[in-house]
Amino acid sequence: MARRPHHAPPTRDTGPRVNERVRSPEIRLIGAEGENVGVVTPERGMELAEAAGLDLVEISPNASPPVCKIMDFGKFKYEQQKKESEARKKQKIIEVKEVKFRPNTDTHDYEVKMRNVTKFLGNGDKVKITLRFRGREMAHQELGRRLLERVAEDTTELGKVDSIPKMEGRQMVMMINPLKS
């Protein structure tokens, strides 16, 4: 199977059909001012569009008969792009931030790491708490579980525990989701 070269245009035309591409025997036409013209042939729609100096754009291809509107297609595409970029600006990408602990993390180090956790949750990011065991620390997993339960308790007003602490090899992992989305 031959692949399309990287710089070649896409094979399938995307977007609404315009002008001569409207292939239906009859269409429901909406005029340039938004008035309902009625059911006409595409040729008659093209004549009206050319008289107005605009394009015949198929708006609802799945209706019967398809709905077409007389409008400036370039302006229509530009406004659609503006709407899409505006929607992209408003969406927030939730990142997963990771904070690593050890079973014998001391109080000051714990407070520093908890400040990071609260900052991440405040920014609306998920937080992955990883507790790593080394050597003989594996024999005292209850210390690690107690530490992760303390973390969950300290973040109750900022986040909700998504997955309870569970062992993955030599580390215990817990996920915390922010409350405000």
Side-chain angles (χ1 to χ4, degrees):
M1 177 168 111
R3 288 179 34 180
R4 185 169 55 91
H6 186 68
H7 52 78
T11 52
R12 192 170 64 84
D13 192 24
T14 57
R17 289 191 272 250
V18 185
N19 297 336
E20 291 84 25
R21 293 214 155 148
V22 178
R23 303 188 292 255
S24 191
E26 56 181 26
I27 57 172
R28 183 171 304 280
L29 186 64
I30 299 170
E33 309 301 318
E35 75 278 359
N36 191 355
V37 176
V39 179
V40 295
T41 63
E43 292 77 27
R44 175 74 181 133
M46 278 296 302
E47 290 169 12
L48 292 170
E50 284 174 10
L54 299 169
D55 300 307
L56 180 68
V57 181
E58 190 174 50
I59 298 217
S60 179
N62 298 333
S64 64
V67 180
C68 294
K69 187 173 182 180
I70 296 175
M71 65 168 89
D72 184 356
F73 185 61
K75 186 177 176 184
F76 173 71
K77 270 178 48 176
Y78 173 74
E79 286 170 357
Q80 265 189 332
Q81 281 178 338
K82 292 274 282 190
K83 282 181 193 169
E84 286 170 7
S85 70
E86 200 64 38
R88 270 196 300 274
K89 273 185 209 167
K90 288 181 181 158
Q91 70 183 186
K92 164 96 172 80
I93 291 108
I94 295 177
E95 293 183 41
V96 177
K97 304 285 189 173
E98 184 174 16
V99 179
K100 293 184 179 181
F101 286 90
R102 294 286 311 279
N104 53 3
T105 302
D106 211 5
T107 53
H108 183 264
D109 296 330
Y110 175 82
E111 289 165 8
V112 169
K113 289 175 187 278
M114 283 309 294
R115 263 200 303 269
N116 282 334
V117 170
T118 54
K119 182 177 73 175
F120 295 149
L121 288 173
N123 291 340
D125 295 322
K126 281 186 174 185
V127 180
K128 179 181 181 182
I129 309 289
T130 305
L131 190 113
R132 182 140 222 182
F133 295 99
R134 280 196 183 144
R136 293 186 183 163
E137 292 172 347
M138 284 294 285
H140 301 286
Q141 293 180 12
E142 72 280 351
L143 292 174
R145 189 168 300 278
R146 234 179 282 142
L147 181 73
L148 288 182
E149 286 168 359
R150 184 174 155 203
V151 169
E153 203 175 286
D154 291 347
T155 59
T156 49
E157 63 275 353
L158 290 169
K160 180 176 161 284
V161 176
D162 186 32
S163 65
I164 57 170
K166 61 178 177 272
M167 286 299 292
E168 292 178 0
R170 286 194 158 270
Q171 55 189 22
M172 200 176 277
V173 178
M174 177 173 77
M175 291 290 287
I176 302 174
N177 281 337
L179 282 180
K180 60 180 176 78
S181 295

